Amino acid sequence: MERTDKNIVKKAIPKRPGDANKGTMGTLLSICGSYGMVGAAILAGKAALRCGVGLEKNALPKSVYPIAAQSILESVYFPLEETAEGKISFCNADFLLNQAAKSTAVLIGCGLSVCDDTKKLVQSFIENCEKPMVLDADALNCISENPEILKKRRAETIITPHPGEMARLCGSTAERVNQSRAETAAGFAEKYGVVTVLKGSGTIIASPGGRILLNTTGNSGMATGGSGDVLAGMTAALLAQGKSAFECAAAAVYLHGLAGDLAAEQLGKISVLPSDIIEYIPKALMSCGLN
């Protein structure tokens, strides 16, 4: 097992050329949010933009669009048809697949919720989207009864489960997952061909080829709902900029923890919020020699 360090970040984040424009720095399609959980989409979107992606396209239920649009001014928005409960309707699937084809990476799952429509939507993307993808939160819950579908992916894929989500994917318990974190992540990555980021104290990043990294940054102040949405947005933003899935996952995890450490130094662990982590991403990047 290796350990993460600043060099991983430098490898994963391309130097920004002097003639860069939004079209050359990657386009991320983020399919997140639902009525009552729009904050997850906002946190992921803000984190993605702080990690340098050229264009972030937010696809979310039309009922929560006004809230998100006031929170992230820099995104492009696709207000979507929704179910009676305010969840993204499956009727948007073809439109979203078309938008994914115009993007360099896709993030799906943060605050998505689990219902028949979102299950079919996630399944459709896994089977038909040919762009690199990050599956987080409810996207993983939507396939927990059939993780075999991950073998149908036609592009690099990163999953970012916490121990509870990992347990549901494996048919186990969170306690058992935490007893063998490295083995669980590595085994899942190899079996299903996806980069597996098992979150928690000492996050594990495992590649399908057998490489395993233990993260060295982060602290208990980050144990607040929404921190995982920040990580998902960061990971997807790096993936959209063109490096390998494993490199992007490792760099995002390291940066996420480092930003949390910097926030805790200034604010104290008790008071750190996920939004604070986002605010300290620039300092984390600069401390890794990137500007």
Side-chain angles (χ1 to χ4, degrees), residues 95-264:
F95 170 79
L96 290 172
L97 283 169
N98 182 54
Q99 287 299 325
K102 302 174 184 178
S103 307
T104 52
V106 176
L107 167 62
I108 185 168
C110 305
L112 189 67
S113 81
V114 179
C115 67
D116 289 343
D117 279 70
T118 55
K119 286 180 179 179
K120 289 191 291 184
L121 186 67
V122 172
Q123 179 176 320
S124 174
F125 263 78
I126 289 173
E127 293 181 334
N128 299 303
C129 179
E130 298 182 357
K131 294 301 176 76
M133 186 183 301
V134 176
L135 294 165
D136 181 55
D138 281 334
L140 300 175
N141 293 328
C142 282
I143 63 167
S144 61
E145 296 177 357
N146 181 30
E148 291 290 324
I149 195 173
L150 290 170
K151 295 179 180 178
K152 296 184 179 182
R153 283 288 297 139
R154 288 179 274 177
E156 286 196 301
T157 305
I158 302 169
I159 67 168
T160 53
H162 59 54
E165 291 159 350
M166 189 83 255
R168 286 189 280 277
L169 289 168
C170 297
S172 183
T173 65
E175 291 76 16
R176 289 179 181 175
V177 167
N178 279 328
Q179 287 171 2
S180 55
R181 289 173 54 79
E183 294 85 349
T184 299
F188 195 92
E190 181 181 8
K191 182 176 181 179
Y192 295 104
V194 296
V195 174
T196 300
V197 176
L198 180 54
K199 297 181 290 193
S201 179
T203 292
I204 300 291
I205 308 103
S207 77
R211 192 176 176 192
I212 305 172
L213 285 171
L214 172 66
N215 190 46
T216 57
T217 58
N219 62 83
S220 60
M222 301 170 72
T224 303
S227 292
D229 302 312
V230 174
L231 175 61
M234 296 173 69
T235 306
L238 299 189
L239 190 62
Q241 293 174 63
K243 296 293 185 176
S244 75
F246 184 75
E247 285 180 321
C248 292
V253 169
Y254 182 88
L255 276 174
H256 180 253
L258 180 56
D261 289 340
L262 292 170

